[in-house]
Every structure is written in C-alpha cells, then in structure tokens.
Amino acid sequence: MADIEFPKVPVRTLTVPTPELLEALQPLPEGMHAALWDLVGEPEGVAYAEIDAVVLPYANGADYGDALDRVPSLLLLQAQSTGYDGLPELVGEQTAIASAAGVHAAATAEMALTLILAAQRGLDDALSAQHEGRWESIRYPGLADRRVLLVGVGGIGREIAARLRPFDVELTRVGSSARTDDDGAVHGTHELAELAARAEILVVITPLDAQTRHLIDARILAALPDGALVVNVARGAVVDSEALTKEVVSGRLRAAVDVFDPEPMPADHPLRQAPGAIITPHWGGNTAAFEPRIKALLRRQVLRLAEGKEPLNLVRPGPWA
C-alpha cells in the first residue's frame, strides 16, 4: 500500500542521546540537522527553540518531563522502546509519539522462550543443585504438548507464537477483541477467565495502558490450574503484582517474569525467595541485536521525516493526525 500523503510537517532538527546514534545517522538528508542531547545536560550546538524531534535515551527510567518542557515546539518524541507507557504524560497533545516497535521483537520473544523453557525444564533448580553439589534426576513438565495461553497478538506476540509452534504446544491467543487473522482465531480479553482455566502456561505481552493495567488480576490468576506458569515479558503493571506474589508464595502457581511492578523489585520482596519463581531484571530487548536495529529504524525515520512522510510506529499522531 502506498504511503498516505500528509501535509509536509517541517521536521528539520532532531536530537539523539548518544554519539553512536549521531554517527549512525550520517550523512543526513539535505536540510536535516542532528544534535547530541541526553536530556540531562544541555543540547550541543542547538537552541531549544530549534528542536523539532527528540530521540529519548534507552530504558534508564528517568523522568524527562522538565527537559522536554524546555522545547517549545516539539513535533515528535521518539522512544527507543516498544512500550510507550508514561510518555504521553511528558508532552502535550500537539506532540506525536513514536515507538521502536519491531526493534525489540526478536529479542523479547527470545526472552519469553528462555523463561518458559527454564521454568518448564527446572533450570532454576538445576543451578541451585549445581552450587550445592547435588545430583538429582527429576521429571519436569517440559514444553511439548502444553496448553499455552498467549495474551497479546502484536509484533512481539507474533514472534513469540512463531517460536512456540515448533515445540508442539496447544496455543491459544488473546487480543483486545475477538477476531480472525492470518494465523487463525484470536479470542477477546472478556474470555480470559474461561481460557485461563485450561492454561498450563500464561504468557503476557500486551502493551500497558488504562485498559490493560492489572488485566491479569486476582480473578484471572485464581482461574489458572494449580502449578500453572505465569510468564510476563510485557510491562509489570499488566499483572497484579500483589495477587501474583500471593499465588506464587503459596506454592499454587509458578512465575517467570522479566518485568514487575514496581521496578526495580525491592531487595526484600517475598517473590525473590519463593520456590517456583524465576526473575530477570527487564532484560527482554537488551541484547546485541538492539544497537544495529535501533540505528536502522532511526535512519528510516529520518528519511521519512525529510520526505514529509508520516513517521513510522506512531502511537499518537500529533501534527500527523
């Protein structure tokens, strides 16, 4: 499908947070200018009033509201993450917001499979046994023939589904609404409790917004069978942390989570010591694949801006509405 023609939006100056990204954008299209700004110090060689677009630093959890308030006419805020929760609150409605959808899909799907396999094959127990000098032969559930409920059918959800299918699982997918896509049936979230009652593994990869906050709540968790595994590679707050902790600490459910609410997880949080819990500190998309992929996305984005086309991955249109 051809690109829709939009009124030409004059994005001429953008900032990037690292010298590596600045170098990756060279040579810039004619008429475009890029400057270095980490949103902590001052932008280098450009006035705030000249900045049209800002690329945010990657995943350090800082609040950049004060810095962005100094940019009077910001047209585009570009994230380096797939998730964009918290960003609309940093800028006015007139500013477009774009995510880095696609950049982290393979790595996050890889993380989901890593957590599932580690939990289903008892690798956490194996590491404890290794360090304690024990040698034990135990039969674990494995992944083949398991019933997997995948909540989220976006780009990363599709990547997870594609990686699950060779493991001979019975896969059920859930989206915001019931429909059929190229891969078959998608159930709606209103069916979650009913579907959870049959699931042996629940994988969460839906974006965090007002509708999905605590989507996986005490009711959904209670519907899961005893011994079921909850895997969260989305955002921590999509799952009710208190309800999940209660189920796992009791020994009824297991959890393998890369995200949590709050982050970082407190050092004395009871989930840390709970048998049946595997916790990684939001490593999902942070692999060696990230840098070349984000650089490629930003190069494509800059070319589109120079040509007056709608930016990629818009999650709020701003002036491109």
Side-chain angles (χ1 to χ4, degrees):
M1 181 182 294
D3 286 312
I4 299 173
E5 291 296 330
F6 286 84
K8 198 170 181 68
V9 177
V11 178
R12 289 290 174 261
T13 300
L14 78 157
T15 67
V16 294
T18 66
E20 292 78 13
L21 288 179
L22 188 62
E23 181 180 357
L25 294 180
Q26 308 303 320
L28 287 160
E30 185 178 355
M32 293 286 291
H33 174 64
L36 192 62
W37 187 30
D38 62 4
L39 281 79
V40 176
E42 297 292 311
E44 295 188 9
V46 64
Y48 288 113
E50 298 174 303
I51 298 173
D52 302 311
V54 169
V55 179
L56 289 171
Y58 175 62
N60 65 6
D63 182 355
Y64 297 115
D66 289 344
L68 293 170
D69 283 345
R70 301 175 207 146
V71 183
S73 302
L74 184 61
L75 299 173
L76 175 66
L77 185 63
Q78 171 72 58
Q80 294 192 59
S81 58
T82 305
Y84 54 89
D85 45 288
L87 298 189
E89 292 77 18
L90 297 180
V91 290
E93 288 285 344
Q94 76 282 358
T95 300
I97 298 172
S99 75
V103 168
H104 303 280
T108 304
E110 180 181 281
M111 191 75 211
L113 266 291
T114 299
L115 289 170
I116 294 169
L117 289 169
Q120 292 297 104
R121 296 306 301 263
L123 293 192
D124 51 335
D125 294 338
L127 284 173
S128 297
Q130 172 187 326
H131 296 150
E132 295 166 9
R134 293 181 285 111
W135 184 274
E136 297 176 321
S137 180
I138 302 173
R139 179 172 290 171
Y140 287 92
L143 183 51
D145 301 333
R146 301 281 72 82
R147 296 186 298 274
V148 180
L149 182 60
L150 177 62
V151 181
V153 293
I156 301 176
R158 288 192 297 272
E159 295 284 344
I160 294 173
R163 286 159 175 76
L164 281 169
R165 289 190 178 97
F167 285 91
D168 296 330
V169 302
E170 181 185 322
L171 180 63
T172 301
R173 298 179 302 139
V174 176
S176 57
S177 60
R179 57 191 183 273
T180 301
D181 63 15
D182 291 342
D183 295 316
V186 176
H187 296 264
T189 53
H190 66 283
E191 302 176 73
L192 261 177
E194 179 183 352
L195 296 170
R198 293 193 67 252
E200 296 169 285
I201 302 170
L202 169 64
V203 183
V204 184
I205 186 54
T206 189
L208 175 63
D209 56 29
Q211 286 69 47
T212 61
R213 182 174 294 274
H214 287 190
L215 176 66
I216 310 302
D217 58 11
R219 183 177 69 97
I220 303 301
L221 295 171
L224 289 167
D226 291 354
L229 173 68
V230 178
V231 178
N232 190 1
V233 289
R235 286 289 190 264
V238 176
V239 178
D240 183 331
S241 296
E242 183 177 347
L244 177 65
T245 300
K246 182 178 179 180
E247 292 277 17
V248 176
V249 169
S250 74
R252 200 186 76 78
L253 296 181
R254 298 174 296 137
V257 297
D258 186 50
V259 293
F260 198 71
D261 181 29
E263 289 186 8
M265 180 187 286
D268 60 351
H269 196 282
L271 197 62
R272 287 185 178 273
Q273 303 303 323
I278 298 175
I279 301 161
T280 52
H282 210 143
W283 288 346
N286 198 12
T287 73
F290 166 65
E291 286 196 10
R293 291 182 179 218
I294 192 64
K295 289 174 181 177
L297 171 65
L298 293 179
R299 284 194 291 266
R300 293 197 303 274
Q301 196 74 295
V302 165
L303 287 174
R304 293 182 70 85
L305 294 173
E307 294 169 1
K309 295 179 180 177
E310 179 186 22
L312 299 166
N313 299 339
L314 280 184
V315 294
R316 192 170 76 183
W320 285 274

